[in-house]
């Protein structure tokens, strides 16, 4: 029996509700499997930790995570701490420290979800957005001078390296190749940004030659937003820079019905370090502590974690349980127009997993 060591970092806001819910669901799936168990360790990093210690996580925090098989993360964001402190002090510290350069965001309209695009059948929206997660616009390179004076100046320099661009494009082509439609759209802005984005396009063309079976096209990021709304079925796998993909994936999540459903994986594809799985929503302070948060984004992130660990059958079972829950309007949380609580949705998923496990053991 394999034991996976999982770090849980609830972070801030509703992260403190959805991560324990995700842990419960993972425990339920392990209880029904003869093959694996989880050994969880919880880390109390985030806004409250910052108020006590002046940092979002300890200086040697990455060492505490290094030996884990995966990380389940909630959110980082606090109304009383500047956003750049919460983001750079925790989430980006882990993503960049562990070189989790591929951020993967699947988007589908799950059964029972009333998505806003009225002319879009659920089957027409089935995308995976691959976000470059280690450099580009979020490299942290830049500075400020003359602070407080009329001549104050500030720069954020977008850094793109050939190695960084090649590895994310190769990852995206491989992912597109593994999906039935074998289609990749490369997002760019090389009409206006004439250095790094032009190199991005050139490398995309070079890497595309290694994948002759993948149909590849190029789209400007502004045109891509309109295409996502007007012609969603023409997209499948999408690859974009750190900032472009950040924006496109919030649009994708909204088009699929709710920010509360969408998952993401921050992967180190070479598996030198643990990868991190998290819902794409933030801390949502407006609903925190009320038991109203939709835990589905975290559950779907747990599916991605199981896939990454190689537990494909468990991943399939959990995804089926999630889809049976979303198909039932009585189990919709407020973001989906329903009245269900975080606990009710969690218990429903756990009950389905338990009944699957009972049926499987009877059949065996
Ligand atoms: P942050 O600043 O940490 O990114 P935020 O509160 O600005 O977070 P999000 O958490 O991304 O923004 O979400 C925006 C709104 O969507 C929230 O205020 C909340 O009302 C709703 N929302 C987001 N996630 C969920 C969820 N899991 N369940 C229910 N509602 C959600």
């Amino acid at each position: 029996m394999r034991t996976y060591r999982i770090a849980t970092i609830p972070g801030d806001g509703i992260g403190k509700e959805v991560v324990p819910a995700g842990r419960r669901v993972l425990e339920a799936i392990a209880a029904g499997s003869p093959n694996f168990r989880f050994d969880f360790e919880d880390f109390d990093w985030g806004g409250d930790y910052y108020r006590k210690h002046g940092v979002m996580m300890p200086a040697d925090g990455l060492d505490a995570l290094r030996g884990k098989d995966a990380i389940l993360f909630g959110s980082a964001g606090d109304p009383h701490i500047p956003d750049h402190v919460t983001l750079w002090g925790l989430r980006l510290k882990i993503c960049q420290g562990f070189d989790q350069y591929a951020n993967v965001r699947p988007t589908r309209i799950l059964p029972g979800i009333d998505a806003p695009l009225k002319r879009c059948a659920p089957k027409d929206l089935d995308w995976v957005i691959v976000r470059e997660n280690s450099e580009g616009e979020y490299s942290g390179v830049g500075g400020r001078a003359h602070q407080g004076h009329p001549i104050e100046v500030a720069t954020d320099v977008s850094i793109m390296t050939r190695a960084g661009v090649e590895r994310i494009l190769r990852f995206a082509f491989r992912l597109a190749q593994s999906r039935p439609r074998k289609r990749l759209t490369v997002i760019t802005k090389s009409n206006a940004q004439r250095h790094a984005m032009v190199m991005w396009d050139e490398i995309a063309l070079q890497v595309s030659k290694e994948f002759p079976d993948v149909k590849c096209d190029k789209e400007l990021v502004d045109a891509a937003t309109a295409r996502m709304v007007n012609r969603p079925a023409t997209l499948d796998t999408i690859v974009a820079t750190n900032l472009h993909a950040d924006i496109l994936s919030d649009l994708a999540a909204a088009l699929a019905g709710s920010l509360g459903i969408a998952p993401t994986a921050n992967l180190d594809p070479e598996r030198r370090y643990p990868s991190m799985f998290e819902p794409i929503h933030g801390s949502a302070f407006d609903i925190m502590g009320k038991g109203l948060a939709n835990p589905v984004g975290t559950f779907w992130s747990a599916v991605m974690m199981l896939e990454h660990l190689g537990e494909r059958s468990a991943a399939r079972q959990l995804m089926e349980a999630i889809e049976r829950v979303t198909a039932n309007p009585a189990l919709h949380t407020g973001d989906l127009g329903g009245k269900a609580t975080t606990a009710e949705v969690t218990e429903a998923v756990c009950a389905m997993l338990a009944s699957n496990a009972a049926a499987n053991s009877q059949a065996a």
Side-chain angles (χ1 to χ4, degrees):
M1 165 107 53
R2 177 88 203 258
T3 299
Y4 295 112
R5 283 157 307 159
I6 308 297
T8 49
I9 308 177
D12 302 317
I14 60 169
K16 290 181 181 154
E17 295 164 65
V18 294
V19 166
R23 177 173 166 165
R24 243 191 81 48
V25 158
L26 283 168
E27 273 162 353
I29 197 120
S33 167
N35 303 326
F36 66 91
R37 288 288 176 268
F38 291 111
D39 173 11
F40 290 101
E41 187 178 355
D42 199 52
F43 294 86
D44 64 349
W45 303 339
D48 292 339
Y49 191 92
Y50 181 88
R51 271 181 279 278
K52 275 189 229 142
H53 305 280
V55 285
M56 293 288 286
M57 65 185 273
D60 59 355
L62 290 184
D63 292 333
L65 301 176
R66 208 175 291 279
K68 303 295 181 190
D69 293 299
I71 304 163
L72 185 65
F73 187 84
S75 78
D78 187 297
H80 306 295
I81 307 172
D83 282 345
H84 66 274
V85 172
T86 55
L87 188 65
W88 281 93
L90 184 55
R91 194 181 157 272
L92 288 183
K93 205 164 181 174
I94 298 171
C95 288
Q96 299 198 344
F98 287 156
D99 202 17
Q100 295 164 344
Y101 67 83
N103 181 266
V104 181
R105 302 181 163 200
T107 310
R108 280 194 290 127
I109 300 176
L110 297 187
I113 302 299
D114 182 21
L117 286 180
K118 292 306 164 209
R119 281 176 295 148
C120 171
K123 67 170 179 32
D124 291 338
L125 200 163
D126 183 356
W127 306 328
V128 184
I129 298 180
V130 176
R131 168 182 178 183
E132 201 297 314
N133 212 30
S134 69
E135 54 176 30
E137 307 87 343
Y138 291 20
S139 301
V141 175
R144 291 175 72 168
H146 308 302
Q147 281 196 46
H149 296 284
I151 54 164
E152 182 165 356
V153 60
T155 59
D156 267 302
V157 182
S158 173
I159 300 289
M160 295 207 191
T161 62
R162 173 168 282 275
V165 174
E166 269 181 17
R167 68 182 183 176
I168 195 65
L169 287 170
R170 217 166 258 129
F171 177 88
F173 271 99
R174 259 187 225 117
L175 183 63
Q177 195 175 41
S178 74
R179 287 170 54 87
R181 293 171 67 202
K182 298 188 193 304
R183 173 183 283 276
L184 178 70
T185 300
V186 179
I187 304 297
T188 186
K189 192 64 192 168
S190 50
N191 58 342
Q193 293 178 304
R194 60 203 183 123
H195 305 295
M197 291 311 307
V198 171
M199 182 181 81
W200 168 273
D201 288 2
E202 285 168 10
I203 295 174
L205 187 65
Q206 285 159 14
V207 174
S208 72
K209 302 215 161 64
E210 297 167 24
F211 300 86
D213 54 335
V214 175
K215 285 189 283 304
C216 173
D217 69 334
K218 191 168 95 172
E219 189 75 84
L220 294 175
V221 64
D222 42 339
T225 58
R227 180 166 161 193
M228 286 166 76
V229 173
N230 295 327
R231 295 181 293 131
T234 65
L235 294 161
D236 186 84
T237 309
I238 300 164
V239 62
T241 68
N242 216 329
L243 177 64
H244 290 166
D246 187 25
I247 297 165
L248 293 183
S249 54
D250 258 34
L251 173 61
L255 294 178
S258 170
L259 209 53
I261 290 176
T264 184
N266 301 285
L267 300 178
D268 165 25
E270 280 79 38
R271 295 172 186 265
R272 297 156 297 169
Y273 305 102
S275 292
M276 181 159 76
F277 302 83
E278 55 172 338
I280 88 161
H281 64 75
S283 45
F285 266 81
D286 54 327
I287 56 163
M288 79 170 271
K290 298 178 181 157
L292 301 177
N294 189 347
V296 167
T298 305
F299 297 166
W300 195 347
S301 305
V303 170
M304 297 183 83
M305 189 176 105
L306 289 165
E307 281 165 357
H308 182 75
L309 295 172
E311 299 296 343
R312 294 192 182 281
S313 149
R316 230 180 355 261
Q317 279 178 51
L318 179 53
M319 197 65 220
E320 278 167 20
I322 292 171
E323 294 190 17
R324 280 167 59 196
V325 161
T326 61
N328 180 357
L331 290 171
H332 284 185
T333 42
D335 54 313
L336 300 174
K339 292 199 161 49
T341 62
T342 314
E344 283 163 355
V345 178
T346 307
E347 291 321 310
V349 171
C350 290
M352 276 172 208
L353 293 172
S355 75
N356 276 355
N360 289 346
S361 71
Q362 263 179 5

